Amino acid sequence: MEGQSFEKQNEILPQPKVDVKSVLEKGEIESVEKLEGHFLIEVVQMKGDGKGLFKPEEPEWRGRPLRVQLELIAGLIDEILELGLVPEIVERSINNKKGILQRFINVDEARPAIYGNRGLRQIPDETLIKAALFDYLIGAADRRFTNILLSKDETQIWLIDHDDFMFSDVKDWGQYNEILGETKDRKLHITINAESLELLKRLVEKLNQLLTSPKEVGVETLSSDLVKVINNIRQRTQTILETGIIPI
């Protein structure tokens, strides 16, 4: 046909997007190895190119008895609000241990923000605002640089380690929060747009569901501590819905 070109007949077509959560939930496991420097956390190699971090339930004496449930709550918040800040996470049992399996961020993708000479200063305002929203909702009391992964080009971040220490019920929760500190340094006034407000309404609905049916966060019945966590998140969400701003 006149004008038709076959020069790109060998061009590689875009591949379909991988359903990371499905791989984490159902993917075949090839190997499990201890993460260097960590007593309980393991690196799980999936068949193909997938890799995850497995964090098992921890005994109360280690100080993180709610880790699995809190990590799943953090993942739900990120997913419902479409933030793209928390690596995909699922509940899974490995080697007869119940826990969570989370997408592994490779060293060629990112590094802890503490190793960046400029810390978070290169992160776009939009990304920082999303992180500030997330951390306000959970009252992130332990958002140090070691709990923030920074992409090599310093434009993207991932928020990790949402355990009992991160969700600590302290009044001055922002004292050890680097996201909040950077947001304040930039003097950002954070107003929530209409689309985000609708997503926040969906979050309230999900939180209400969890109070009566918490299977999605790995338990049949909520402990009083988990009820308190969910109610705190719900209250902060309602505050934003009523005011239209993040009060930080």
Side-chain angles (χ1 to χ4, degrees), residues 108-120:
D108 59 345
E109 292 181 78
R111 62 183 184 276
I114 192 171
Y115 297 118
N117 293 331
R118 292 166 290 189
L120 302 175

Side-chain angles (χ1 to χ4, degrees), residues 142-155:
D142 191 36
R143 184 68 70 204
R144 304 169 193 267
F145 283 125
T146 49
N147 294 326
I148 305 168
L149 297 181
L150 180 67
S151 64
K152 282 197 168 182
D153 61 5
E154 300 184 353
T155 61

Side-chain angles (χ1 to χ4, degrees), residues 68-86:
V68 168
Q69 289 74 43
L70 295 177
E71 293 271 21
L72 291 171
I73 288 172
L76 272 177
I77 295 171
D78 180 84
E79 185 175 354
I80 291 170
L81 299 184
E82 301 176 3
L83 299 175
L85 296 171
V86 178

